[in-house]
Amino acid sequence: MKKLCDDAGLIIAATHIGFEEIQNEPNKVIEQHSIFECKHVAIGGLPGSYANAEGFVRFAKEASVAVKKLADAGFDFSYHNHSFELEKFGKRTGLQMPL
């Protein structure tokens, strides 16, 4: 992929990968993104198993741990949000859940 992008004059500025890959294979993620010369790792959204009030809190805690290895290697991490994070669980949205 890197060669195809180089040949087309494109820069790989960011990716979307599965959260499980970051959790389970951080060294692979770091290696791939190093090859791509891409410092920005992102996931395409909240994994379905976290889509409840307790899940948002659990995801925030687990993601903070999982992406530390990426950050230590000089990579940024972001989360691509969608409208469901703004649905209410009681009086709070998923994004407002307290840690």
Side-chain angles (χ1 to χ4, degrees):
M1 170 145 358
K2 174 69 170 136
K3 180 168 177 10
L4 289 172
C5 288
D6 286 347
D7 291 349
L10 300 173
I11 295 169
I12 302 171
T15 62
H16 274 175
I17 64 170
F19 181 58
E20 297 80 16
E21 192 171 351
I22 293 170
Q23 284 182 300
N24 300 327
E25 301 179 273
N27 291 332
K28 177 182 172 188
V29 172
I30 290 167
E31 180 181 347
Q32 288 174 336
H33 285 74
S34 295
I35 291 168
F36 293 159
E37 297 178 18
C38 175
K39 290 289 188 182
H40 197 83
V41 181
I43 62 170
L46 186 75
S49 62
Y50 296 96
N52 56 61
E54 297 79 22
F56 277 98
V57 174
R58 188 168 46 93
F59 175 77
K61 290 178 181 178
E62 291 177 13
S64 295
V65 171
V67 301
K68 181 163 182 354
K69 192 162 192 175
L70 301 179
D72 290 347
F75 293 89
D76 295 322
F77 171 77
S78 66
Y79 168 90
H80 182 150
N81 65 299
H82 299 84
S83 62
F84 65 85
E85 290 95 348
L86 301 175
E87 292 176 16
K88 296 241 177 174
F89 297 95
K91 294 184 178 188
R92 298 176 187 240
T93 67
L95 293 177
Q96 293 174 320
M97 289 298 166
L99 297 178

